[in-house]
Amino acid sequence: MRTAVVVGAGIGGIAAAGALARTGWQVTLLERDDRLRPGRGALVLWPNGVRALRGLGLAGGLDGIATPVPPVGIRRPDGQWLVRPGAVAPDEVESPPVVVHREDLHDAFIAGLSDQVDIRSGIEVQPARVHRERCAVGDGRVTFEADLIVAADGVQSAVRRRLAPATSFASAGVAAWRAVIPWYRIPDLPPGLPPHGETLDAGHRFTHASLGERGSSGGSTRGGISWVATVPGALRPEPAAGQLALLRRWFAGWHAPIPQLLAATEPDDLVQESVGELTPMPETFGVRAGNGGYALIGDAAHAMPHHLAQGACLALEDVATLQAVLANVRGPLAPALDEYSRLRRARIARVLQQTRKAAAVLQPRGGLTSRAMGAALGRANPRTLDRAAAAAAEWPGPTSA
């Protein structure tokens, strides 16, 4: 029986562990925390992400936890529309994305794990050792050897640091915060507000989305309103309460429901994230080691800014592609890992190109004022963001470039 070690138990890592186990591998899943914890906040799944879930056999029940995202426009802080909802032509988008609570998706993935997955928590992997005849990772106390090591340990991946030492994370000059506010804590909001929205001003960005309808049984089982705020600058060192106070100050005076949502947010809801990309991109996402090797997936392979909300979708694409190329391998894994890298690097390069197009609109340089931001957006094609998002979501399946 083939053996695999998956490093990191986030969305990509759990999906990879389950996918390999369901195809006959004996899998060890390593997590540095004391137990497997779902990430906080919500995720957007575009059609490519849903297609990857289907390919992995994990899409069952998605309708019960996901909420479709209707067309979203862009407004100024005073509420004036810069780009109205529905500006994109219907035939440019295959189907609307959906938003899902991370905990709901985590629970669905955990339920899909089999007895062939050995979960080890409290293991903080040190930089991987690359040998000619075997691949292994360890935490300084215990060494785990396997035919395949899957690095799903995030943007600061210890495995990638050993495999691709020339690659590092470069900040985009902004920081992001996300939170989900449960329905019971959200005050009554002014009538007529759209359930999803996007607001921009001089590099500040606030996006919100509903997880189901208040008081209904549909949509996420953990309903509420998810929001993401992006602000120029570095990560903040203050405790969560201090960060929340800053966010309330920075977004004070913006149109409803932004101040109301921040007022209803509690420090424990808040998750701060760095924004940037890996540069240069690793030369390969698959590294040979004897008859086996290493595979990089998710942010460990290709972290990029969140402007198109493709992070989780790309990680799921990675897993679906890895599963497909390994499906019928009987001998050494090297050819399959080479094919995995070829397919994924080409795909990631295309999405990164679209992300940079979106960044040119959403993340202006030079401290544009609100008036200058509006003028810049007015001069741009109103469909730039929609077309970038639609192009990033074009992925026909796990064995296509």
Side-chain angles (χ1 to χ4, degrees):
M1 178 181 288
R2 300 266 197 186
T3 59
V5 171
V6 179
V7 182
I11 292 296
I14 296 176
L20 291 168
R22 286 190 297 275
T23 52
W25 291 64
Q26 181 65 50
V27 182
T28 301
L29 177 60
L30 306 181
E31 170 56 36
R32 66 180 179 181
D33 285 346
D34 58 355
R35 60 185 176 87
L36 269 57
R37 303 173 189 272
R40 289 179 290 166
L43 294 171
V44 175
L45 295 178
W46 289 85
N48 53 308
V50 175
R51 188 176 296 112
L53 283 177
R54 291 192 182 116
L56 293 167
L58 294 172
L62 183 61
D63 290 345
I65 61 174
T67 303
V69 178
V72 176
I74 302 175
R75 294 198 279 180
R76 288 194 177 103
D78 62 5
Q80 180 181 351
W81 289 106
L82 293 169
V83 180
R84 289 191 174 275
V88 64
D91 59 354
E92 288 181 9
V93 177
E94 174 188 342
S95 60
V98 297
V99 60
V100 60
H101 201 295
R102 286 175 180 261
E103 292 185 23
D104 287 330
L105 201 59
H106 176 271
D107 290 352
F109 285 6
I110 291 293
L113 295 180
S114 72
D115 294 339
Q116 288 178 215
V117 178
D118 178 19
I119 300 173
R120 305 285 187 92
S121 58
I123 304 291
E124 185 164 3
V125 167
Q126 304 300 314
R129 294 179 295 154
V130 181
H131 301 273
R132 289 186 177 181
E133 298 302 328
R134 65 190 178 102
C135 50
V137 292
D139 65 351
R141 302 168 299 163
V142 182
T143 298
F144 299 88
E145 298 184 27
D147 299 310
L148 175 67
I149 305 290
V150 179
D153 49 342
V155 66
Q156 300 296 344
S157 170
V159 181
R160 188 200 64 247
R161 288 202 300 272
R162 181 64 181 86
L163 301 177
T167 297
S168 61
F169 179 76
S171 172
V174 298
W177 288 262
R178 65 178 67 246
V180 172
I181 312 166
W183 285 124
Y184 69 83
R185 223 193 302 137
I186 295 175
D188 290 334
L189 300 176
L193 290 175
H196 306 268
E198 176 104 16
T199 307
L200 300 177
D201 178 49
H204 290 63
R205 179 185 179 194
F206 195 98
T207 304
H208 67 276
S210 295
L211 292 165
E213 297 293 334
R214 189 199 299 256
S216 74
S217 58
S220 171
T221 59
R222 297 175 174 92
I225 295 183
S226 166
W227 61 258
V228 179
T230 307
V231 175
L235 294 177
R236 301 297 305 191
E238 296 89 351
Q243 295 173 28
L244 184 55
L246 287 172
L247 286 167
R248 288 170 176 166
R249 187 176 73 197
W250 290 331
F251 290 95
W254 285 40
H255 66 78
I258 295 172
Q260 292 91 334
L261 294 179
L262 289 171
T265 302
E266 295 183 353
D268 287 345
D269 301 328
L270 209 59
V271 180
Q272 182 180 206
E273 299 175 341
S274 56
V275 180
E277 68 180 74
L278 295 183
T279 182
M281 185 189 300
E283 292 184 3
T284 178
F285 294 165
V287 176
R288 302 181 180 199
N291 289 327
Y294 299 79
L296 301 173
I297 69 171
D299 284 348
H302 46 67
M304 65 182 70
H306 63 286
H307 303 311
L308 297 179
Q310 278 285 347
C313 297
L314 294 176
L316 294 171
E317 285 185 23
D318 291 342
V319 177
T321 303
L322 186 63
Q323 180 189 59
V325 299
L326 292 173
N328 299 311
V329 175
R330 297 293 179 264
L333 299 182
L337 292 175
D338 290 346
E339 178 68 357
Y340 166 73
S341 182
R342 182 186 72 81
L343 293 170
R344 294 312 297 157
R345 288 188 86 255
R347 163 70 174 148
I348 295 305
R350 291 197 300 271
V351 177
L352 186 57
Q353 181 183 41
Q354 299 303 325
T355 297
R356 288 169 177 164
K357 288 182 181 179
V361 176
L362 296 172
Q363 191 182 322
R365 301 294 181 182
L368 293 182
T369 64
S370 179
R371 184 183 298 275
M373 166 72 84
L377 280 171
R379 289 191 299 269
N381 188 321
R383 296 179 178 174
T384 298
L385 296 177
D386 289 309
R387 286 175 173 166
E394 289 177 355
W395 181 69
T399 57
S400 301

